[in-house]
Amino acid sequence: MERVVDYRTAHCTFIWAIENASKLHLSKSFRSPMFTTDSEVMQDTKWQLVMELGMEYMTIFIRRIEEDEGPNMIDIDYEISLLSAEGYPLVKMMDRKQFKNSSNYVLRRFAKTDEVYNVRKDEFLPEGTLTIQCRIWRKNLGISKVDLHYFRTKKNADRISFLWSIKNFSTLRQDVKRTHYVNPTTERVPQLTATFFFVKKKGKESLFMNFELGVESNPIHGRVSILDANGKVYHTIQIDESFHRNFFTKIVYPKNKIMANKESLLPNDVLTLKCEFEIDTELFCSQIEQYKDFDSSSSECITFGVPEIQFLDKPEISCTASALQAFFIGNFEDGMFSDVCLRAGSESFPAHKLILSAFSPVFRSMFTTDMAEKKNGFVDISDVDPETLRLLLSHIYTNTLPRLTKKIALDLFIAADKYEIIDLRDKCSDFLKSNLTVRNCCSILATADRHHEQNLRMAVHGFMVKHQTEIFQSDMWKTFKSENFSLATHTLEHIITLMKNTNDE
């Protein structure tokens, strides 16, 4: 690839900030909005960036839109970079090309995916935002005025989670299928139909699940877990369907292994499955902001002094919604109309079965199946301390969180995971990722491992790579290794692989 002179001032600068970029899934491309170059030099040409996330590398395309007011052919120099929080390029590539209408060029192996999302995540994704800058010049032409375009998009995904109890498991025949229908929670999400059945291959029966969506959907990701009699995860299979189709089938587990552990996995001959899915939805986009006569004399460092932009898809809160929210808060504070009492330690918390069921599939299962909680007016929460339960209920009723500390975030993360309050669990996970230290990384790693939180675990691995000397030569690591030998061994193997890949580059 041809390298060009790094001019200090570009005719057009385009900054694309992608919020919640840590939730972007691999094997998918993301398009920026189109931007028009208004300066006379750029002749009203229209452009767009496309980012593709691969397992190993991030690739970026720059394309000229077919229908613009510019000439049939235009020669440009362009520079693409990923910016730090301070606006400095962390990765940068430059090239010189002739662009016809509807033509595009690619910058392959632009950046290592693992380096951006794990090893140097704090640098590339400050507060979860990935910022891409594109600068464009016309060859051998002076600068009269400069265009600056700033665009922010927000990654969004809809989640589906439910518990599925398969009754009479040991007597199910191969020709019998169990079907569960999950209705959508928003207009963007299609109905999900889950089918459970056995398949016999080479004389052995295995559990299979087929998932079918009402329409051809965006990529779907998630996991299916087998729970034991205490509600703890016994085995998990990850779901990562990156391509577009409306059904997929996954093997869950061999039947004989479940029967061998039927005392812990089949209470009353019931197998419990915990299903969690995340379906990609469209990016929530804001409008482009253009700045005429932008002074780019120091354009190597762009300061993001743009005002906050209201997202176009952000729903307005109606008077009815405000009244409903006030009703929730009031009922949380005074316990009015409560029909169940949650007990933790010596404290009791009046609550409402309908509200708890709406936010937690675990509570919903308690109040709709033949469990003791359905008949009794109380639920003993034995493994959550009173203060954590108070904060969890506060989040359910008021959608608020206190000022988090590491301990509060850990306790809330564990409770939210148990009761499948996904948005609270993710908020606590994001806080823990952003507050990793040499002293707390081992305890956070252990928690992430126990609760099968892969993103949090990978964030800890990346942090350990950056602080390997301080961590692996400390007494803290020696203690952690003696108490968690298998996890420590697996962690070291993964970190060695990360370091080797980085050194090979």
Side-chain angles (χ1 to χ4, degrees), residues 369-386:
T369 60
D370 294 329
M371 299 175 71
E373 290 83 358
K374 180 179 179 180
K375 303 174 183 178
N376 299 332
F378 62 86
V379 177
D380 282 317
I381 310 294
S382 58
D383 52 355
V384 177
D385 65 81

Side-chain angles (χ1 to χ4, degrees), residues 58-122:
M58 173 189 298
T59 297
I60 294 183
F61 296 78
I62 179 171
R63 60 187 296 258
R64 182 182 170 194
I65 307 303
E66 181 176 359
E67 297 179 358
D68 65 22
E69 302 299 324
N72 292 331
M73 181 80 71
I74 185 170
D75 292 355
I76 70 164
D77 297 335
Y78 63 93
E79 172 196 280
I80 311 291
S81 57
L82 301 183
L83 300 184
S84 68
E86 296 78 21
Y88 290 99
L90 298 169
V91 174
K92 180 167 61 176
M93 282 191 180
M94 306 177 68
D95 203 2
R96 172 177 293 166
K97 294 292 183 183
Q98 284 188 336
F99 280 83
K100 299 179 181 179
N101 290 110
S102 74
S103 61
N104 66 85
Y105 292 97
V106 58
L107 300 176
R108 300 189 185 278
R109 297 195 170 195
F110 184 79
K112 275 193 169 184
T113 303
D114 188 62
E115 185 172 9
V116 173
Y117 279 82
N118 297 304
V119 179
R120 297 174 60 191
K121 182 177 179 180
D122 291 344

